[in-house]
Amino acid sequence: MSTPQTDTQTAAAPNTTTDTARSYVVDRFMKYCEISSQSNPLTAENVPSTKTQFEVARLVADDLRSLGAHEVVLDDHCYLTAFWPASEGAEDLPTLGFCCHVDTAWQSWGNPTRPQIKRYEGGKLVIGSDPDGKEVYVSNKTNPQLKHMVGQDIVCSDGSSLLGGDDKAGVAMLIALLKRLKDNPSLPHPRLALAFVPDEEIGHGAALLDLEKFGADFGYTIDGGPLGEFCYETFNAAEVFVRAKGLSVHTGTAKGAMINAAEAIMKFHQMIPAQERPEYTEGYDGFYYLERMSGECEKAAADYIIRDHDKALIEKRKQTMRDAAAFLNLQYGEEVLTVSDHDQYYNLADVITKPEYAHLIENARKAYASVGSEMKCIPMRGGTDGSQLSFRGFACANLSACYYNGHGVREFVPVSELEAMVDMLQYLVGLYAQP
């Protein structure tokens, strides 16, 4: 197995507090982060839900072409696919697939994005200020991992937006891997199939990826947290839509006649177990999460997501919400509240734990060890494109993208972890160059 390479740029990075020349993977990561590409659940009927995702995809497509990737295609729905030919002697081995997403989270400020590099010297790492002028910082209290990062460079935003490490760090890692393979043709690897997809953050993700053309039966998504994190278990996930229809009557004569839809939604929410919200749960605990709500007297709406690792328990959550609506409707004496649901994805473990996919776990473990990192298998409290893809026939577990504090302005990515993952991927594709 060849020794991992270090790829550096000759120019120092702008927006950096250090004089260190930045590596190729850091350079591409920051370029991708500069483009705001949040998905939007309110326009989810369109794919992609936002046109800015095309801007990132076009930049990545240009990078793929400049490196020499084959069959680079960006379609009308912002699905970008490409292939990398096998090294000599590995042409007849199965194609190994990788998938990342080009959108970023919609739940926080995301435009404009101003990535920067900060040298962490201990104590509180001040990132900048949020749009309201409040200081944004990361500390050992919020992130105990910082004690191991003293003296290291860290990529973050200026505090006015999220960074986008979820999942642009994963995108940059894949592009940097291809540069390694281009610069060092003797590095062993099978044929690689690469997919960069839109709208993962709103549950759409890889739904329209043509798996027959993609041509890989197994592989990895790169969309996880700190270095060493590995996921083959995810939540089962569903959306629940609660709607209320009221009756407006002049407030002066409303007694016994008015039905306030907004209040009906409030009563409904109070019946959902408060202790089972995300802020009170961890590990294998499932939850109910109120994503958004709106309303007035005659109509109101609340959209929830519910999660559980156990299929039976998520069905129980759906029933709890139906029962709450039925109870309130009984009080109102008519159907004021309606509840509908939609399954988003299922637990990845149902596929990856099959014996024929054990290599996905064991090869990842070896590849992490090659960069001095112990693999940590976690039950992901969310999902990845891998959940959806695995049930469609492309079995894929999830690797680190090395971001911390995702979906918020305190998000950051350590440079050392970003670079180590490129070494890890080089080793991993080398394992799949063996029969």
Side-chain angles (χ1 to χ4, degrees), residues 283-298:
Y284 284 97
D285 299 334
F287 60 75
Y288 303 87
Y289 172 58
L290 176 62
E291 278 196 305
R292 69 188 69 83
M293 63 184 298
S294 61
E296 51 196 44
C297 186
E298 289 209 325

Side-chain angles (χ1 to χ4, degrees), residues 330-345:
L330 190 63
Q331 289 188 331
Y332 283 115
E334 58 183 284
E335 190 178 65
V336 172
L337 289 152
T338 59
V339 177
S340 60
D341 60 73
H342 166 70
D343 287 346
Q344 294 174 294
Y345 55 81

Side-chain angles (χ1 to χ4, degrees), residues 24 28 31-32 58-69 175 178:
Y24 181 82
R28 301 327 294 158
K31 287 290 186 184
Y32 302 150
R58 290 189 189 103
L59 179 56
V60 176
D62 288 343
D63 286 344
L64 288 166
R65 292 187 183 102
S66 67
L67 289 169
I175 297 300
L178 298 189

Side-chain angles (χ1 to χ4, degrees), residues 56-348:
V56 179
R58 290 189 189 103
L59 179 56
V60 176
D62 288 343
D63 286 344
L64 288 166
R65 292 187 183 102
S66 67
L67 289 169
H70 293 188
E71 301 177 54
V72 179
V73 176
L74 177 60
D75 72 13
D76 293 341
H77 292 295
C78 202
Y79 282 76
L80 173 62
T81 54
F83 300 93
W84 194 266
S87 60
E88 185 176 355
E91 296 91 346
D92 295 330
L93 295 175
T95 296
L96 180 64
F98 289 99
C99 181
C100 297
H101 63 89
V102 297
D103 65 315
T104 58
W106 55 272
Q107 292 94 336
S108 184
W109 293 296
N111 186 28
T113 305
R114 303 182 183 92
Q116 60 179 336
I117 299 176
K118 290 270 191 177
R119 175 65 58 85
Y120 179 56
E121 302 293 359
K124 186 166 71 172
L125 174 66
V126 178
I127 293 173
S129 301
D130 69 19
D132 296 327
K134 183 179 179 181
E135 184 181 72
V136 176
Y137 65 90
V138 183
S139 70
N140 283 283
K141 182 177 180 180
T142 59
N143 290 91
Q145 309 96 327
L146 279 176
K147 64 184 178 182
H148 303 298
M149 300 177 188
V150 176
Q152 294 188 27
D153 289 340
I154 290 175
V155 185
C156 55
S157 76
D158 66 352
S160 64
S161 73
L162 50 77
L163 174 65
D166 177 8
D167 184 32
K168 290 173 182 175
V171 175
M173 291 167 187
L174 269 186
I175 297 300
L177 171 65
L178 298 189
K179 185 177 187 300
R180 290 272 183 91
L181 301 182
K182 176 186 178 180
D183 292 345
N184 304 274
S186 64
L187 293 175
H189 59 277
R191 180 177 182 264
L192 305 179
L194 313 167
F196 306 88
V197 303
D199 288 341
E200 189 271 351
E201 297 292 359
I202 59 173
H204 179 87
L208 299 181
L209 182 63
D210 188 329
L211 292 182
E212 185 175 349
K213 289 183 178 179
F214 192 57
D217 292 327
F218 55 79
Y220 299 90
T221 52
I222 309 176
D223 187 19
L227 180 66
E229 187 175 287
F230 182 79
C231 173
Y232 64 88
E233 292 182 89
T234 62
F235 276 138
N236 294 285
E239 296 174 299
V240 179
F241 309 103
V242 184
R243 300 293 181 261
K245 184 177 180 180
L247 177 64
S248 178
V249 179
H250 190 288
T251 52
T253 57
K255 184 175 181 180
M258 176 185 286
I259 298 176
N260 191 323
E263 293 230 10
I265 289 287
M266 293 167 62
K267 290 178 181 178
F268 176 89
H269 185 67
Q270 289 172 345
M271 294 184 68
I272 304 304
Q275 72 275 16
E276 295 181 35
R277 295 173 186 165
E279 59 266 41
Y280 304 122
T281 59
E282 61 183 352
Y284 284 97
D285 299 334
F287 60 75
Y288 303 87
Y289 172 58
L290 176 62
E291 278 196 305
R292 69 188 69 83
M293 63 184 298
S294 61
E296 51 196 44
C297 186
E298 289 209 325
K299 61 180 180 180
D303 295 343
Y304 292 80
I305 61 172
I306 56 174
R307 301 288 188 262
D308 223 297
H309 290 276
D310 187 294
K311 281 185 179 179
L313 291 179
I314 199 168
E315 292 301 322
K316 185 177 179 181
R317 291 184 188 282
K318 292 177 185 177
Q319 191 59 48
T320 295
M321 300 180 86
R322 295 187 198 107
D323 290 346
F327 175 80
L328 291 172
N329 286 337
L330 190 63
Q331 289 188 331
Y332 283 115
E334 58 183 284
E335 190 178 65
V336 172
L337 289 152
T338 59
V339 177
S340 60
D341 60 73
H342 166 70
D343 287 346
Q344 294 174 294
Y345 55 81
Y346 304 104
N347 191 342
L348 182 58

